[in-house]
Amino acid sequence: MSTNQTKTLYIAAGTKVYGVRETDGSFCWTHDFKEPVDQIYATSQNVFVQTTAPALYALTSKDGLLQWRHPLTDLLPSQLLVQGDLVFIGAYPTGFMALTTHNGAPRWQTSVPITSNSIGFIGSEGDSIYGYSDGTIYALRADDGHIQWKKEQPYTLGEDLLLMNGNLLIPDINGEKVIELRASTGAVGATFPGNQVVSSQDFLFLSRTASPKRQTSQELYALHRGDQQELWKKTLNANEQIRFRKGMLGERYLYVVRIDRNMKTVLQAVDLKTGDNAWTWTPPSERPDIDPFSIYYSNEHLYISTHNSSVPYPENEKSLLQALDSQGGVRWKQALNARILRVVLPV
């Protein structure tokens, strides 16, 4: 998640989207769609929301007022992407499509095979955007959707696909490796052992099984992007696992969720330069689990959402969003009467 000077973050929970002040967690505005929210993406001007209607909506970032609504054809949630005056979305059976940001008018559609609930966008560089569908990676021209290249992957894609410095980083969960693709051509570059990866401008941070034959423990390690030399390596205790994602990489720390053999979880801040543990944060006892997909970083602050997962009916779920400072201190809390789906800041 990119750092920026904004003072507003946006939360999708249940059927609502909230504008929330970063400074104290108070609400700026609330928009109720009357239908569950699937995806959300924010810029400095608009908040784009996909619901299960299915439809794509555009709200103004400042006050949450509805700008336009574009109906979609199926209940296929897709990661969204915005570049310039276009918002990109994947939809079944259409494939990839682009709408204008100011009124939702269609700009182009590009058909690709879709046989499962797996379509979305990775990012954009220059005049190209990068997406995936059914395990195939696509490079498309942003202005007209022309497919510049595609790469069919013979492995299982991980949750986080990254685009940085002209390269795509593609985790292969089953093969315990991360494949680097050249964004300009789709050619395969380096391959790294591991099944999780995040990247800064200068370093890659990965996890891998320390003893593949015994499957007993995990390693967390850092590499220089340029020469792939190892910066540091840490081996975890036996039967302990870690989980992290791209939204958990800060300016000073990589934030990981440590899971012990009893499935107890804590949040760990790992120093980017040394790999040393800087501090840990334990969730409130009434909400004991931390999901890596509920942690979001921005401006040296960390946002963590937890929910009462033991509640049997979704309509009775409640969430708690907490903002932590760079040392793990709680700055503010905000309770919501629904399970938090996403927390995003403008990009």
Side-chain angles (χ1 to χ4, degrees), residues 13-18 30-38 49-55 57 59 66 69:
T15 65
K16 298 178 181 180
V17 170
Y18 304 85
T30 303
H31 190 105
D32 191 350
F33 293 90
K34 309 297 183 183
E35 57 203 35
V37 174
D38 267 335
V49 180
Q50 184 184 3
T51 68
T52 60
Y57 296 83
L59 310 178
L66 179 64
R69 176 185 184 275

Side-chain angles (χ1 to χ4, degrees), residues 136-173:
T136 298
I137 310 298
Y138 294 88
L140 302 101
R141 208 156 48 208
D143 59 356
D144 60 8
H146 171 73
I147 297 176
Q148 298 168 308
W149 58 258
K150 64 179 181 179
K151 191 78 172 180
E152 295 182 2
Q153 306 301 331
Y155 42 75
T156 304
L157 298 182
E159 295 286 356
D160 273 329
L161 288 70
L162 303 180
L163 171 63
M164 181 170 282
N165 294 349
N167 292 303
L168 293 155
L169 294 172
I170 314 297
D172 170 16
I173 294 179

